[in-house]
Amino acid sequence: MIICFILCMIVIGKRKGADACLAILFSLLFILRVLLPALYNGHSAIVMGLVTALLTTAVTLVLLHGPTKQCLLGIGATLLGELAACVLFAVASSQFHLTGFQTDEAEGLLLIVQGTGLDIRTLLFAGIMISSVGAVMDVAVSILSALREVAIAAKAPTPGMLFRSGMNLGQDMIGTMSNTLIFAFTGGALTTMMVFCSYGIQFHQLLSSDFLAVELVQGLCSTAAVILSVPVAAVMGAAFYGKNRKH
């Protein structure tokens, strides 16, 4: 399956596909060799989540687009979107009293907390940032690339015109990308929800459960990060490309 995946990437994507494979390899190695050991040994999940988002985004964009100004704009827009998700999740977790102990794996993790520096309470923050970074990066880079082409094609692009173009494009993307994240979280929790159905749990009981609270907050905060990355990318692209037609 891995060989078929790589062949499809290279045959269809050509050089970009090969670069994307390298980016995926880096992301997997970083998560397995750096992120997980760091979290296990008690490093801040919020810091490690931001570092993971920064490095994976930077490596991916540099491999795909090279060390250009557009690459820097994409990294900046992605990180701002991730910070928005983190802030929203902090507010939501405070209101819903989410501490990380409501997850199914919390009981098993409690057994190893005393022998390590693992902080269960902040693991959800890292999960939010890691789960949404791909979608946020996709939206931010797509808008910036489109604004770059508009700026090149237009005779005298103004920041206002580029911002409106970026927002129009982003509005078309929000619906599909939001559904992608919601369905991704739903698919991951489908087995658990089927167990609830088999127990005959009523709808109002499901709404009041810790499980749904965690999944709902994760899905909504990740989706909100994608939505907020649209105006962020539009503002950054309009400010830069509106003054620099040659880049």
Side-chain angles (χ1 to χ4, degrees):
M1 288 299 297
I2 293 175
I3 293 174
C4 289
F5 174 78
I6 294 174
L7 287 176
C8 288
M9 290 283 285
I10 295 175
V11 170
I12 298 176
K14 305 297 182 183
R15 175 63 185 274
K16 295 287 187 180
D19 291 338
C21 288
L22 293 177
I24 293 173
L25 178 62
F26 172 81
S27 298
L28 288 174
L29 290 176
F30 186 85
I31 290 172
L32 294 175
R33 304 294 296 178
V34 178
L35 175 64
L36 295 181
L39 294 177
Y40 184 82
N41 291 316
H43 291 276
S44 171
I46 299 175
V47 173
M48 290 307 303
L50 288 174
V51 169
T52 301
L54 172 62
L55 289 181
T56 54
T57 301
V59 170
T60 300
L61 295 184
V62 169
L63 284 172
L64 294 177
H65 303 288
T68 61
K69 293 179 180 179
Q70 182 181 351
C71 176
L72 293 177
L73 289 175
I75 295 172
T78 301
L79 283 182
L80 288 175
E82 289 297 291
L83 286 174
C86 198
V87 171
L88 288 172
F89 185 76
V91 175
S93 61
S94 165
Q95 295 297 316
F96 285 89
H97 306 289
L98 302 180
T99 60
F101 294 99
Q102 292 96 339
T103 60
D104 295 334
E105 298 81 9
E107 183 176 353
L109 292 176
L110 284 173
L111 301 176
I112 63 173
V113 165
Q114 295 181 350
T116 67
L118 179 66
D119 186 0
I120 299 178
R121 293 171 298 178
T122 58
L123 281 180
L124 291 177
F125 282 91
I128 283 290
M129 287 182 280
I130 294 171
S131 63
S132 62
V133 64
V136 173
M137 178 169 53
D138 183 23
V139 170
V141 172
S142 296
I143 292 176
L144 289 170
S145 297
L147 292 184
R148 177 178 177 271
E149 295 301 320
V150 171
I152 292 174
K155 294 181 178 180
T158 63
M161 182 189 76
L162 291 177
F163 175 75
R164 288 190 295 272
S165 298
M167 290 300 296
N168 290 335
L169 177 63
Q171 289 164 5
D172 291 335
M173 300 174 64
I174 283 174
T176 55
M177 294 304 300
S178 299
N179 276 331
T180 298
L181 285 173
I182 294 298
F183 284 128
F185 280 107
T186 302
L190 189 59
T191 304
T192 304
M193 288 192 290
M194 289 303 300
V195 172
F196 285 166
C197 289
S198 68
Y199 289 161
I201 294 179
Q202 299 299 316
F203 182 69
H204 68 277
Q205 293 175 302
L206 182 61
L207 287 178
S208 303
S209 66
D210 290 334
F211 163 77
L212 186 63
V214 172
E215 296 297 328
L216 185 63
V217 171
Q218 283 184 327
L220 292 179
C221 289
S222 297
T223 304
V226 173
I227 296 172
L228 292 175
S229 67
V230 170
V232 169
V235 168
M236 294 178 68
F240 180 74
Y241 295 128
K243 298 178 181 180
N244 301 275
R245 294 188 61 194
K246 297 181 178 179
H247 28 267

